[in-house]
Amino acid sequence: MTATQPTLRAPSNRARAGALMRSTPAYIVVALVALVVVFTIISPEGRFLDATNLQAVGRNSAGLVLLAVGLTFVLGAGHIDLSVGATLVLSSVVAGTVAVDVAGPPSASGAFPSAGPAIAVAALAAVVVGGIAGLVNGLLVTKLKVNSFVVTLGTMGVATGAAQVLTNGSNVAGIPPDVQTSFGLNSVAGIPLPLVLAVVVALVAGVVLSQTSAGRHALAIGSSSDGAMRAGVNVQRSTIAVFVISGLMAGIAGFLDITRFGTTAISGHETTMLQALSAVIIGGTSLFGGRASVLGSVLATFIPTMLLAGFVMVGVSSFYQNIAIGAVLIIAVWLDQLRGK
C-alpha cells in the first residue's frame, strides 16, 4: 500500500478577503475613515469634508508621501534617516534660489518670460541636491562604519545650517508665481497635481521594493546584514542605494514645497521628519529592518496631515498639534513592537 499524500489547496477567496481585512493597510483605512467622521462632526458646519479642505490635505500630504517612501527603503534595510526634513529644506532653498536667478527680473507687467526654464532647472537642482545628500549619508554609514542614527543626526544639522547660510535665515523671495499656478495649485479631476506626482512615484517605488532584486536585497540586509553578505548581496552598494533613494525623495519633496507656498519654508518643517517616520512605522515597516510596505506608508501619511488639518479647523493650538505628532510616533513604535512579538 502507498500512503496517501495530503492535497495542498490554494487559499479560498474568503480566506484572501479575511487576510486583507486583517492587514495593516486595512486598519489604516479604518483609522482614516474614523478621523474623517470625527472631524466632520466637530468641525464648524461639517466643513472638514469641503473639497477645498480635502485638496489642501492632499497638497500637504504630497511631500510627506515622498519622504515616507524614501524612509520605507531605509528602514527596511535596517537603517534610519533623520535628515530627510533638513534635506527637504536645503533642496527647496537651492531650487528657489536657482529659480530666481534663471527667471531674472519680471517685466513691466509682472510676468517672468523665463519662468518655464527656471522651474525646470529648479526642479532638477532640488533632485540633485537631495541625491547628493543621500549619497553622503550612504557613504558615511558604509565607509566610516558609523551608525546611521548618528550620521543622519549630524547631516541633519549640516543641511539645516547650510540652508540658513545660503539664505541668511530668510525665505527665498521672488520665485516666479508660475511655479504655483502651473503646478502647485493645479489639479486633475479634483486631485492636486503634487499628490498625483507623489502617488505615481510611490507606485514605482512599491514595484521596485517588492518585485526587483534591489528591493529584495534591501530587505535582506535589514533582516541580517551578515546573512545577506553570505548570500552574495553587495551590502555596501545596496545600503548606499537606499540612502540615495531617500535623498532623491526628499529633493523632489523640496521642489513640491516651493510649488505649494511660492517660496521656501525654512522654519516650517520642525516636525516633518517625525510625521514621515510615524507614518512609515504605522504603515507596517519595521523600525528594526527586514519588513517594509510602501502601500502602508503612503496610506499612513494621511493620518498626521488629517490630524493637523482637523486641529486647525476646530481651532486647536499648534502646541497641541506638536504633542499629537509626538504621541503618534510613540504609538507607532509600540505597534511595531507588538507586530514583532
Side-chain angles (χ1 to χ4, degrees), residues 60-78:
N60 294 338
S61 301
L64 203 59
V65 165
L66 294 170
L67 295 184
V69 167
L71 281 174
T72 300
F73 278 81
V74 173
L75 264 67

Side-chain angles (χ1 to χ4, degrees), residues 17-58:
L20 179 62
M21 292 303 295
R22 292 190 298 270
S23 66
T24 298
Y27 290 134
I28 295 172
V29 171
V30 171
L32 290 173
V33 171
L35 285 176
V36 170
V37 171
V38 170
F39 283 127
T40 300
I41 293 173
I42 66 177
S43 62
E45 302 176 0
R47 287 182 298 171
F48 187 81
L49 277 180
D50 286 354
T52 302
N53 182 60
L54 294 180
Q55 287 185 338
V57 170

Side-chain angles (χ1 to χ4, degrees), residues 284-308:
T285 297
S286 174
L287 184 62
F288 308 104
R291 185 180 70 246
S293 170
V294 172
L295 174 61
S297 297
V298 171
L299 290 174
T301 54
F302 291 93
I303 292 179
T305 52
M306 279 192 177
L307 281 173
L308 294 180

Side-chain angles (χ1 to χ4, degrees), residues 7-20:
T7 302
L8 298 179
R9 296 182 179 179
S12 64
N13 292 334
R14 179 178 296 181
R16 292 194 189 97
L20 179 62

Side-chain angles (χ1 to χ4, degrees), residues 245-262:
I245 290 172
S246 181
L248 290 173
M249 295 299 104
I252 300 174
F255 175 71
L256 293 186
D257 211 49
I258 64 174
T259 69
R260 179 162 56 122
F261 297 115

Side-chain angles (χ1 to χ4, degrees), residues 37-265:
V37 171
V38 170
F39 283 127
T40 300
I41 293 173
I42 66 177
S43 62
E45 302 176 0
R47 287 182 298 171
F48 187 81
L49 277 180
D50 286 354
T52 302
N53 182 60
L54 294 180
Q55 287 185 338
V57 170
R59 290 190 181 92
N60 294 338
S61 301
L64 203 59
V65 165
L66 294 170
L67 295 184
V69 167
L71 281 174
T72 300
F73 278 81
V74 173
L75 264 67
H79 294 280
I80 193 168
D81 188 354
L82 301 178
S83 66
V84 289
T87 301
L88 182 157
V89 171
L90 178 59
S91 299
S92 69
V93 164
V94 173
T97 304
V98 168
V100 171
D101 291 342
V102 175
S107 62
S109 62
F112 290 84
S114 302
I119 294 172
V121 175
L124 178 61
V127 174
V128 170
V129 169
I132 292 175
L135 178 62
V136 169
N137 284 335
L139 289 174
L140 290 176
V141 170
T142 57
K143 301 301 182 182
L144 299 185
K145 308 298 182 183
V146 179
N147 184 274
S148 59
F149 181 94
V150 176
V151 167
T152 57
L153 184 63
T155 55
M156 176 178 68
V158 171
T160 301
Q164 293 170 337
V165 168
L166 288 174
T167 62
N168 201 24
S170 302
N171 289 321
V172 178
I175 298 175
D178 304 66
V179 75
Q180 282 186 295
T181 56
S182 63
F183 183 78
L185 300 181
N186 213 337
S187 60
V188 176
I191 304 175
L193 275 179
L195 182 60
V196 173
L197 173 63
V199 170
V200 170
V201 172
L203 288 173
V204 174
V207 172
V208 170
L209 185 63
S210 62
Q211 303 296 326
T212 68
S213 58
R216 290 191 290 270
H217 289 173
L219 296 180
I221 294 170
S223 296
S224 172
S225 178
D226 292 338
M229 187 178 300
R230 287 193 294 269
V233 176
N234 189 323
V235 173
Q236 285 197 0
R237 185 174 62 190
S238 296
T239 300
I240 293 173
V242 297
F243 278 104
V244 170
I245 290 172
S246 181
L248 290 173
M249 295 299 104
I252 300 174
F255 175 71
L256 293 186
D257 211 49
I258 64 174
T259 69
R260 179 162 56 122
F261 297 115
T263 183
T264 55

